[in-house]
Amino acid sequence: MTKDKGQTMQSQDSFTQVTFHYINGETESFDIPVTPEAFSEQLADFLSQPWLILHLFDQTVIILTSQIVKVEVAPQIPQLQGEGVLSDCQRVTALSRGAKV
């Protein structure tokens, strides 16, 4: 734990940033107070639940997992290995949205 402007803050390494992309095109990101390694161990469990419940400092967010189409995690979690996992990939274009021509 480090002090920052009088507040107790956890080390950046103990947080995982997760961005949820929903069916309707909206996205939202959260800093979750768990290491990427611990998050990777729980990821399949989280996504198999019908609801994710995130307690924030001022509110609780409940996410219907059937509405999630993509999850982005930073920093990367190389512990995820096996069938269906591709390593050393590079993004060539950003995801784009817009009117179809």
Side-chain angles (χ1 to χ4, degrees):
M1 302 272 240
T2 60
K3 294 261 185 185
D4 183 53
K5 295 184 182 180
Q7 295 179 327
T8 302
M9 302 292 284
Q10 288 187 324
S11 162
Q12 192 66 17
D13 294 339
S14 64
F15 279 87
T16 302
Q17 184 180 73
V18 180
T19 302
F20 297 106
H21 296 261
Y22 302 106
I23 289 173
N24 67 2
E26 295 178 345
T27 63
E28 61 184 337
S29 297
F30 299 92
D31 280 335
I32 298 177
V34 63
T35 64
E37 294 81 12
F39 183 79
S40 71
E41 292 172 6
Q42 301 173 22
L43 184 59
D45 250 2
F46 289 151
L47 296 177
S48 70
Q49 300 299 316
W51 299 94
L52 293 177
I53 299 171
L54 306 173
H55 295 296
L56 309 181
F57 77 95
D58 62 342
Q59 63 180 317
T60 296
V61 177
I62 302 169
I63 300 170
L64 180 61
T65 57
S66 66
Q67 298 298 302
I68 298 171
V69 293
K70 181 170 89 169
V71 177
E72 294 181 19
V73 180
Q76 66 170 292
I77 41 180
Q79 299 86 340
L80 295 177
Q81 297 290 323
E83 192 172 327
V85 177
L86 304 173
S87 298
D88 300 322
C89 300
Q90 294 182 15
R91 190 180 308 239
V92 177
T93 61
L95 180 66
S96 60
R97 292 184 183 90
K100 293 183 181 180
V101 181

